[in-house]
Structure formats: structure tokens, C-alpha cells
Amino acid sequence: MTQVRPRITKAVIPAAGLGTRFLPATKATPKEMLPVVDKPAIQYVVEEAVAAGLSDVLMVTGRNKRPLEDHFDRNYELEEALTRKGDSSRLARVRESSDLATMHYVRQGDPKGLGHAVLCAEPHVADQPFAVLLGDDLIDPRDPLLTRMIDTSERFGGSVVALMEVPPEQIHLYGCAAVEKTGDESDIVRVTDLVEKPSAAEAPSAYAVIGRYVLDPAVFDVLKQTPPGRSGEIQLTDALRELARDETPGGPVHGVLFDGRRYDTGDRGDYLRAIVRLACEREDLGPDFRAWLRRFVSEDMQA
Ligand code: UTP
């Protein structure tokens, strides 16, 4: 009898990292709260989960967690002030984040790595497949990567990672996948092995693992057995590598090849690019901002 795979309804968002690349901004504020135009980066991520049908969201938080929780909670004082002023459009914007999803929180304590952060989700997720969205990875809302990954997991079972081609000089910043073709669909591959942050010479391909996953709950048992890897942290990549082996429960691992727009908002350069790109495309701010940017690039930059 074929087993019916339960529908994926839960999203886990690890947001407990230290954000050291963005110090001192992240000394007292989580990097996920840094604004991208006028919304914190994390709100785009929760919106993406909801757009893919996942309205039960567990956020894994750590130190400085308060702003994250407050952002997705009601702010009655502010709402009352805006109501009194009759400012209904800002009132709607304030309520957007608290009405988005059913939010849950778990605290990681020590940031012992992404694998450890995912393990903190076990009591909430239990025995259902679930999605993981890294809180500092922003995928453009017009590129529905997560939906494609959920479809892929429903079709093949096991676990699914998102892969993006990167230049050789950048592969050492990512987990890297060895892949083979699956046949029919050109954007879906089978992952046969994974290496965390390899040098360009050691990398088995140009495919970097980016911050979206659909995981089988068998990953929890594997994570419990996974010893700390690079920099003493429990790496999710090491557990995925185990799942990718033949016959391991929780596998196989498939990869969805993504060539859309993605920004690592924990990286200062990418963060700036995300803001400029999204601001240029906004209906309200875009026209003025683009005109200013054109002038800035052609005049000021040459001065
Ligand atoms: P990163 O390595 O990008 O996060 O982890 P970091 O450690 O905060 O970054 P830097 O290098 O110090 O600037 C990827 C994701 O995993 C989460 C982070 O919050 C980020 O979303 N993470 C990482 C955890 O939740 N817990 C951890 O122990 C480590």
C-alpha cells in the first residue's frame, strides 16, 4: 500500500544566529529585524511561508528575541493612536504582521549551529514533514521557490533543498551539493552528497545550498547523532548528507535549482542590493528613487 504523505503545514524559521557580519548594528537587535525598505527582513520570510500555504510558523530565537516577538504581536497603543488620527492605511500596515500567521517561538539558548536550531523545533513539528526558511535569506516574492519545493517533496518523498549556481570564488561560503539528473524536469536533481563550505578545488559542483529546505522528520534522529562539525557547530548540511545516502530514512534528498532573485540580508553588500532593488520596484517610492539613483550614478559617482 502506498503511504500517503501528510500535507506540509508548518514552517520553522531559525533566527538565533549571532549576526556577527553585521556588527555593531546587531549588537542589541537581531539581524532579521533590519529593515528592507520599510519592513523588517523577517516579515518577507514569514510572508513567503504564508504564500506557500504554511500559516503555522515556529521561530527559533535566541538573545535579543523581544523585537521579533513584538513585531508579530499586536501593538494596541500604536493602533489606538492611529485610529484616533483616522490614519487607516498606516493602521492596516501595523496590523499586517500580527494578522499574518499563527506564530510560535522556541528559544535556542546557545547558538550551537543551524542543525541544533532545527532540532529545537522537534517538539513542535513532531512526526510531520516541515519547511525551514532561514530568517536572513530573502527570496523575491515573485519567485515561488518554496511552493516548487513542497510540490517536489510531495512527488518524491524524502527531503528537498534549494540549490543556486554560484561562481567558484563564492562556493566556500555555502554548503555544496553533488547532484545527478532526475530525467524529466530540468530544475529538479537528485542530491548524492553534500560538503559544507568547500574550497573551489574540493567543491563537487557549482550548486550552493541556499536557505530553504523541506525536511522529513527523520532528520531529528539524524541531528541527534550528528557531532559538532566546522567551528564546533552542529551543521544541518552534515545531517542532510546522511539523509542523501541510499536507504536512510528521511531520504532521498532532491534539489530544486533556483535562478531567481535571492538576497542574504545577513551580508552587508547583499543587504544593500536588496534595498535598492526592492525600493526601485516599489510603486510609491520607485519613480523618485530611480530618478535620484540615475543622477547619483551618472554625476556624483564620477565626481
Ligand atoms: P548564519 O551563519 O548566516 O548566521 O546562519 P549567523 O551565525 O547569525 O551569521 P554571522 O556569520 O555571525 O553573521 C544561518 C541561519 O541560521 C540561523 C541564523 O539566525 C541564520 O538565519 N542560526 C545559526 C540559528 O538559528 N542558530 C545558530 O546556532 C546558528
Side-chain angles (χ1 to χ4, degrees), residues 14-21 31-32 108 111-114 117 134-136:
L18 293 176
T20 55
R21 284 169 296 163
K31 64 177 162 181
E32 293 80 4
Q108 191 184 5
K112 289 191 246 169
L114 178 57
L134 298 195
D136 56 357

Side-chain angles (χ1 to χ4, degrees), residues 75-301:
N75 183 334
Y76 291 104
E77 217 181 339
L78 188 55
E79 288 181 32
E80 215 179 284
L82 292 168
T83 308
R84 254 186 280 120
K85 278 191 189 171
D87 193 340
S88 53
S89 78
R90 289 204 175 94
L91 182 63
R93 297 226 74 196
V94 163
R95 284 186 177 153
E96 253 169 37
S97 54
S98 50
D99 293 342
L100 253 182
T102 309
M103 301 296 299
H104 307 268
Y105 299 91
V106 62
R107 192 118 186 193
Q108 191 184 5
D110 281 336
K112 289 191 246 169
L114 178 57
H116 181 253
V118 170
L119 197 47
C120 294
E122 186 182 19
H124 183 78
V125 166
D127 55 358
Q128 308 284 309
F130 62 104
V132 173
L133 296 85
L134 298 195
D136 56 357
D137 226 344
L138 203 160
I139 303 287
D140 194 289
R142 289 159 297 181
D143 298 322
L145 169 63
L146 191 59
T147 304
R148 181 76 176 140
M149 294 175 73
I150 292 172
D151 291 348
T152 304
S153 87
E154 279 166 359
R155 180 161 160 216
F156 292 98
S159 302
V160 180
V161 296
L163 299 175
M164 198 162 182
E165 210 168 330
V166 299
E169 64 277 11
Q170 283 177 24
I171 198 74
H172 71 279
L173 300 170
Y174 297 91
C176 176
V179 302
E180 59 189 33
K181 289 189 175 144
T182 50
D184 44 354
E185 294 184 61
S186 60
D187 66 330
I188 300 175
V189 292
R190 171 90 188 254
V191 174
T192 55
D193 198 7
L194 287 143
V195 192
E196 180 67 6
K197 301 192 165 88
S199 66
E202 291 161 341
S205 76
Y207 291 120
V209 178
I210 59 167
R212 298 293 178 269
Y213 309 82
V214 175
L215 299 176
D216 185 279
V219 74
F220 294 126
D221 282 340
V222 177
L223 281 167
K224 284 176 208 158
Q225 310 292 326
T226 303
R230 265 180 178 267
S231 47
E233 297 189 338
I234 298 175
Q235 302 289 351
L236 182 60
T237 306
D238 291 340
L240 287 168
R241 183 176 201 203
E242 195 56 39
L243 296 185
R245 281 182 213 284
D246 281 341
E247 308 305 327
T248 308
V253 178
H254 282 88
V256 170
L257 305 183
F258 180 68
D259 61 2
R261 291 152 282 197
R262 173 235 171 210
Y263 309 95
D264 173 2
T265 56
D267 171 82
R268 290 168 302 174
D270 235 17
Y271 173 76
L272 293 173
R273 283 185 279 277
I275 294 180
V276 171
R277 184 86 163 261
L278 294 178
C280 281
E281 291 166 357
R282 279 269 295 258
E283 265 176 38
D284 52 349
L285 302 166
D288 278 356
F289 184 63
R290 276 199 306 271
W292 173 83
L293 196 58
R294 247 181 249 118
R295 279 198 308 277
F296 178 69
V297 172
S298 64
E299 297 161 20
D300 301 28
M301 296 294 279

